[in-house]
Amino acid sequence: MSEPLWRHALGRELRRRRHARGETLHATAGRAGVSPQYLSEVERGRKEPSSEMIAAVAGALGTDLAGLTRGVADGLATAPRARGPQCAYTLAA
């Protein structure tokens, strides 16, 4: 079984919280002091943000590092675990 990457779990939790607030990337990124493009990359698990950046985005979402970390941990606890390489096959009819 492979464990999910922290950056993917963090990104999912940030996006979940942003959507729960009904906010756009632009609004959240503006309050956090980051570009919308960067926040999008973080939410998609493509960037490893610094602890300072995570704290800024958490604050922009109305939470703190402890609350955000609990949300990420809860998501990891309930996430299905992959077994081996994930492959998708398409059969032509």
Side-chain angles (χ1 to χ4, degrees):
M1 283 198 239
S2 65
E3 291 290 326
L5 296 177
W6 173 260
R7 71 176 184 259
H8 294 157
L10 174 64
R12 280 190 300 271
E13 181 64 14
L14 292 173
R15 180 174 281 146
R16 185 193 70 73
R17 287 175 181 257
R18 183 174 60 77
H19 285 175
R21 292 170 61 101
E23 291 187 0
T24 65
L25 275 168
H26 290 276
T28 303
R31 282 196 317 283
V34 301
S35 74
Q37 295 82 6
Y38 183 79
L39 180 56
S40 175
E41 293 276 317
V42 170
E43 285 187 356
R44 289 182 287 142
R46 298 195 177 188
K47 295 287 184 189
E48 290 273 4
S50 68
S51 57
E52 291 85 358
M53 194 65 62
I54 295 168
V57 176
L61 291 170
T63 191
D64 58 12
L65 286 175
L68 180 61
T69 302
R70 276 191 297 276
V72 173
D74 290 346
L76 286 170
T78 60
R81 300 293 189 264
R83 290 191 167 93
Q86 298 295 311
C87 298
Y89 296 97
T90 304
L91 300 176

